[in-house]
Amino acid sequence: MSVKITAIRGMNDILPIPTKENPVTTQRWQAVEKVLRQLMHQYGYKEIRLPIVENTPLFKRAIGEVTDIVEKEMYTFEDKGGDSVTLRPEGTAGCVRACLEHGLTYNQTQRLWYTGPMFRYERPQKGRYRQFHQFGVETFGMKSADIDAELILMTARLWRELGLSEVVRLELNTLGESVSRQAYKDALVAYLSQHTDSLDEDSKRRLNTNPLRILDSKDAKTQAVLANAPQLFDYLDEESLQHFASLRAVLDAAGVAYTVNPRLVRGLDYYNKTVFEWVTTALGAQGTVCAGGRYDGLVTQLGGQATPAVGFAIGLERLVLLLDTLQQQNDSSEADIYLVSEANTINQALLLAELLRNSLTNYRIVSHCGGGQFKNQLKRADKTGAQAALLLGENEVAEQKVTVKWLKTGEQQQVNQADICTYLAQHLGA
């Protein structure tokens, strides 16, 4: 017997019909993606499409060689030319590379968005996979706090559009600039070095490589040690504090609630000043739905001139899972109108379907193909969730009429073919 070929662990299919293994359908994804695209249109942001594979040094320089992503999680391999390449683990580095390569940042401002698959080799779990999908926004050339505020207001609007405002909350922090942050790191390392016996293994490893990530530790003993650790706000420069105050003033005026979390640091090395996360407990333990912040030094780090930048990313798997968990409206129907015909009227039915699509552009119109009795075709029409079945038999063709059967009520009536578009436009969804 041949070996059954299955998907790679942590790389999942997204199907048009729900199954036990894949309950969230492509319809749910499309609904979310539609809202996201409309949101970007409202705010005047432009789409950028980026390669899935990049040269490995891009991520090592941008993310930091001592981060978990670079050390443990990247899909890196040599191509046939002997170059080291990597499946992108996140979108910001590639977006910055593209802007530099094509001259989009020099003396310009940019508001950009992208979406697509990312790849990290980590233990698959609910809402987190080895191939996952991200929606990201990146802005360049604006250094004041108003653009930070715009991104947070944008995400707050997204939750309202999706009906999620009651189940997500905003956490906010500022990391200051590199000089003040380094002074804080030194003080934090000095303090934690006196308590290494109480730190978890990950925190011990990070102590001399990425100490700010220790603040993110979920280990109870480590958190007990951190209770008396130096506070980042005590080391921040005045300009960063003023930037943070300006951001908070806009959010307060807009009525966007938030919690200042001094231990929110984000996982990547390139952040400075503003960092934020939208979190939820609706999926069990607290999880992050959206995260972002400012990264003014990354363009320089990748070879460009100093350029202020700020952005955010949303994990789409977690977002659609959240919507599904809350049982938000999910249209699982396959059609709005279903055309039923006899063997010798199928051609007329196909032409009628084209006519309807020309006029009823917002509706899904499916023609039954493959033959079969009217009774069986109507059963299929019912299964698609269509509102109406249009019956086109020999009698209807001869009389230039269409029989309309409303599937929820069973009512039916004949309509002149010349009037069918107007009739359906008036009655669908009524």
Side-chain angles (χ1 to χ4, degrees):
M1 292 179 63
S2 60
V3 177
K4 183 179 180 181
I5 299 175
T6 60
I8 297 171
R9 184 168 182 251
M11 299 187 179
N12 294 349
D13 301 306
I14 302 171
L15 305 174
I17 55 175
T19 66
K20 184 177 180 181
E21 295 79 15
N22 302 80
V24 183
T25 65
T26 48
Q27 287 94 328
R28 170 75 77 194
W29 281 76
Q30 290 166 351
V32 171
E33 289 162 354
K34 182 179 179 181
V35 172
L36 287 167
R37 288 178 181 275
Q38 178 61 24
L39 187 70
M40 292 302 100
H41 176 74
Q42 284 182 291
Y43 279 80
Y45 283 59
K46 298 176 182 177
E47 182 183 9
I48 184 169
R49 300 193 178 189
L50 304 165
I52 289 175
V53 180
E54 299 270 10
N55 289 307
T56 303
L58 170 66
F59 299 114
K60 287 188 174 180
R61 288 172 64 185
I63 297 173
E65 293 197 47
V66 295
T67 59
D68 286 350
I69 294 174
V70 172
E71 287 183 332
K72 300 178 181 179
E73 298 172 3
M74 292 203 314
Y75 279 92
T76 298
F77 55 93
E78 281 193 5
D79 65 11
K80 291 185 178 181
D83 296 320
S84 179
V85 297
T86 296
L87 297 177
R88 61 187 186 190
E90 55 92 44
T92 301
C95 189
V96 172
R97 189 272 311 150
C99 288
L100 286 175
E101 185 172 340
H102 301 289
L104 301 185
T105 59
Y106 184 66
N107 285 337
Q108 300 175 67
T109 61
Q110 298 290 347
R111 288 174 161 95
L112 304 172
W113 68 271
Y114 54 83
T115 189
M118 310 290 168
F119 303 84
R120 295 185 190 177
Y121 189 88
E122 54 184 339
R123 184 173 63 86
Q125 52 187 286
K126 189 175 183 180
R128 178 176 291 180
Y129 306 108
R130 290 175 177 174
Q131 176 179 316
F132 59 99
H133 296 77
Q134 226 175 46
F135 174 85
V137 167
E138 315 291 354
T139 68
F140 301 96
M142 295 162 276
K143 68 177 184 179
S144 55
D146 49 4
I147 188 63
D148 306 35
E150 178 175 279
L151 295 189
I152 294 175
L153 293 173
M154 177 191 291
T155 51
R157 180 177 296 275
L158 174 62
W159 312 137
R160 293 197 299 272
E161 294 281 342
L162 294 173
L164 296 177
S165 296
E166 298 301 315
V167 296
V168 296
R169 59 183 179 83
L170 176 62
E171 294 192 348
L172 197 64
N173 195 21
T174 179
L175 302 179
E177 294 291 9
S178 57
V179 173
S180 56
R181 192 163 61 253
Q182 186 58 53
Y184 173 65
K185 282 183 180 179
D186 293 342
L188 183 63
V189 169
Y191 170 78
L192 293 176
S193 296
Q194 302 172 32
H195 303 276
T196 53
D197 291 345
S198 299
L199 299 179
D200 60 278
E201 291 305 314
D202 271 348
S203 296
K204 289 177 183 177
R205 181 175 56 82
R206 289 169 171 158
L207 189 56
N208 294 307
T209 57
N210 198 357
L212 289 185
R213 286 301 312 279
I214 298 175
L215 300 176
D216 246 349
S217 173
K218 302 298 186 290
D219 182 79
K221 288 185 177 180
T222 300
Q223 283 297 323
V225 171
L226 290 170
N228 297 312
Q231 297 296 306
L232 176 58
F233 269 79
D234 295 335
Y235 292 81
L236 293 180
D237 55 284
E238 187 59 36
E239 199 273 334
S240 293
L241 290 171
Q242 183 56 49
H243 185 100
F244 194 51
S246 298
L247 169 61
R248 293 180 64 183
V250 176
L251 299 181
D252 291 341
V256 176
Y258 58 87
T259 301
V260 176
N261 179 359
R263 295 185 184 176
L264 176 62
V265 294
R266 305 293 300 122
L268 305 180
D269 283 354
Y270 51 61
Y271 285 104
N272 71 302
K273 290 185 178 172
T274 305
V275 289
F276 65 90
E277 290 186 356
W278 288 93
V279 298
T280 183
T281 56
L283 295 174
Q286 177 174 303
T288 302
V289 181
C290 168
R294 182 166 281 278
Y295 51 95
D296 294 339
L298 184 56
V299 176
T300 306
Q301 198 173 317
L302 293 180
Q305 295 191 353
T307 304
V310 60
F312 68 80
I314 295 172
L316 293 183
E317 274 83 0
R318 187 163 287 179
L319 180 56
V320 295
L321 182 62
L322 179 59
L323 287 165
D324 204 61
T325 300
L326 297 173
Q327 297 181 334
Q328 300 285 350
Q329 183 178 356
N330 185 15
D331 183 7
S332 59
S333 65
E334 302 169 31
D336 298 302
I337 303 167
Y338 195 94
L339 272 82
V340 174
S341 60
E342 296 177 340
N344 54 353
T345 62
I346 181 63
N347 290 349
Q348 290 92 331
L350 290 171
L351 294 175
L352 177 60
E354 289 300 306
L355 178 68
L356 293 171
R357 292 183 185 111
N358 291 341
S359 179
L360 306 172
T361 55
N362 291 326
Y363 292 96
R364 297 162 297 174
I365 298 162
V366 174
S367 296
H368 184 90
C369 296
Q373 297 179 348
F374 264 24
K375 182 180 179 180
N376 292 333
Q377 291 186 46
L378 285 169
K379 285 182 179 179
R380 175 61 193 148
D382 227 7
K383 287 183 178 179
T384 66
Q387 295 183 54
L390 306 188
L391 284 63
L392 201 65
E394 291 183 357
N395 291 338
E396 283 86 358
V397 170
E399 297 174 11
Q400 291 292 296
K401 293 182 181 293
V402 181
T403 298
V404 181
K405 184 179 179 67
W406 296 100
L407 295 173
K408 290 184 179 179
T409 65
E411 296 178 8
Q412 64 181 54
Q413 65 186 100
Q414 285 199 329
V415 179
N416 291 328
Q417 285 191 27
D419 301 327
I420 189 64
C421 292
T422 302
Y423 172 83
L424 290 171
Q426 292 174 344
H427 290 82
L428 282 169

